[in-house]
Amino acid sequence: MRYRRGEYVADRRPEILAALRKDCGFVSAQGLHTSMKQKGIHIGRTAVYRALSAADAEGRLESVHACSGAKAYRYLLPVHENHLGCRVCGVGTAFFCQVLEDRVAQLGSRHGFEAARAL
């Protein structure tokens, strides 16, 4: 998408987060900005910093401090976790199972639920 100088764009966060998702690893705001520019996406560095900061505050990103001191970000996929717990000792563990999620969605729609999930 190309924008002319001075043209106001209300919210570039979806575009910035999509670029971060495609990188699939930790990347700094400067690195993401450079990557987007190389792909022909004209965006200001400040917009990238603000979008990453806001998404990090919302818990949508994982962040670490690189050796250089810069903060690096990675997109967190929204995954629903199920939990198994032992009735005897109380130990529990989280897991994700796409087959279970698909089956719950099928059962939910069959029984009139729009958005069903295993608890």
Side-chain angles (χ1 to χ4, degrees), residues 1 8-9 13-14 18 22 26 35 40 42-43 45 56 64 66 79 82-83 85 88 90 96 100-101 108 111 119:
M1 209 179 269
Y8 178 74
V9 178
R13 284 180 290 180
K22 288 179 185 173
F26 284 100
S35 172
H42 299 284
I43 192 162
R45 188 177 303 136
D56 189 30
V64 296
V79 175
N82 294 293
H83 295 85
V88 176
F96 175 77
L100 177 61
E101 295 296 321
H111 293 281
L119 298 177

Side-chain angles (χ1 to χ4, degrees), residues 65-70:
H65 286 281
C67 296
S68 64

Side-chain angles (χ1 to χ4, degrees), residues 41-115:
I41 301 169
H42 299 284
I43 192 162
R45 188 177 303 136
T46 302
V48 174
Y49 277 96
R50 286 182 181 160
L52 292 176
S53 179
D56 189 30
E58 293 168 359
R60 297 172 67 186
L61 306 178
E62 182 178 1
S63 61
V64 296
H65 286 281
C67 296
S68 64
K71 203 169 190 181
Y73 301 90
R74 177 172 67 180
Y75 189 81
L76 292 174
L77 294 174
V79 175
H80 170 74
E81 289 182 340
N82 294 293
H83 295 85
L84 288 175
C86 177
R87 291 182 180 162
V88 176
C89 68
V91 172
T93 186
F95 72 95
F96 175 77
C97 176
Q98 189 60 53
V99 174
L100 177 61
E101 295 296 321
D102 293 343
R103 186 68 178 134
V104 168
Q106 290 170 354
L107 288 169
S109 64
R110 185 181 303 161
H111 293 281
F113 291 94
E114 288 184 30

